[in-house]
Amino acid sequence: WTTSLFTGSKAFGGVFDGKNYKITNFLLRRNANYTALFGRLGAGTIKNLYVSGNIEITTSGSAGACSGGLVGSSSSTGTISNCVSDIDIYVNSTGTGTSPSYIGGICGLSSNQITSSGEISNYAFNGYLAYTLINISNSSTGKVYAGSVSGDNTGDITNALVGGKITTTNENVYVGGVSAKLTAGELTDN
């Protein structure tokens, strides 16, 4: 694959029920924002899905990246439930930017843009996240938030099973076993 589903101004707003089927040997290579099976999730639901494979991302410049095993960025009205991500995510950055990047085993950035909270529940991450910064420059001040479930989350995270691994070569990377940054919301039964 060379592109994610639903990127840019288009966000998935329907119901995707994987019916517990598996997507295996998934391979996505991109150098753009919203890198995931579903680039952006709006007022939609992704449920009952297992995905395994690799995502390879190369970034440069000042654009922040939202990347995840299933979803790159989710709005506050999006729901991810009963999903397993066995995705290995490899990020290589030339690191000249100042914008933050969010990388998660399930969802890179789960944001609260409207009034209700987005929800991620009953899922597992068994993959591997690796963030490597190449050619560090003095102007590279963009922080990276990498979490087994989400890089940054403002909704509730419940019933998470985390068995993945995160590695980095950069001091500006903030790592979390569940979420690297929890702006709002609660962690429950994880």
Side-chain angles (χ1 to χ4, degrees):
W1 293 44
T2 57
T3 190
S4 300
L5 303 172
F6 302 97
T7 61
S9 62
K10 298 176 185 175
F12 179 69
V15 175
F16 184 89
D17 186 348
K19 299 189 185 255
N20 296 316
Y21 281 97
K22 295 181 179 180
I23 297 173
T24 59
N25 299 315
F26 177 71
L27 175 60
L28 175 61
R29 291 184 177 124
R30 275 189 93 199
N31 60 353
N33 201 0
Y34 306 121
T35 300
L37 178 60
F38 291 86
R40 295 185 59 221
L41 175 62
T45 298
I46 298 171
K47 62 183 181 178
N48 306 320
L49 180 63
Y50 173 98
V51 180
S52 68
N54 292 307
I55 295 177
E56 300 168 4
I57 306 160
T58 303
T59 65
S60 64
S62 61
C66 296
S67 305
L70 294 175
V71 176
S73 177
S74 174
S75 75
S76 64
T77 55
T79 300
I80 302 168
S81 66
N82 300 315
C83 292
V84 175
S85 170
D86 196 357
I87 295 284
D88 293 343
I89 302 173
Y90 300 94
V91 181
N92 291 306
S93 175
T94 54
T96 58
T98 58
S99 298
S101 294
Y102 306 97
I103 304 161
I106 300 288
C107 181
L109 175 64
S110 180
S111 61
N112 191 351
Q113 299 172 350
I114 306 177
T115 56
S116 62
S117 295
E119 179 181 326
I120 302 175
S121 64
N122 300 320
Y123 54 87
F125 171 67
N126 299 315
Y128 177 76
L129 297 177
Y131 184 88
T132 304
L133 183 62
I134 305 168
N135 301 325
I136 300 171
S137 71
N138 290 333
S139 63
S140 177
T141 59
K143 292 182 174 43
V144 177
Y145 300 93
S148 294
V149 174
S150 67
D152 185 6
N153 194 75
T154 57
D156 294 338
I157 297 176
T158 58
N159 299 322
L161 173 63
V162 177
K165 179 180 178 182
I166 302 173
T167 64
T168 182
T169 61
N170 182 348
E171 64 186 39
N172 282 339
V173 176
Y174 297 87
V175 175
V178 176
S179 183
K181 183 178 180 185
L182 186 63
T183 304
E186 296 181 1
L187 299 177
T188 309
D189 297 327
N190 297 303

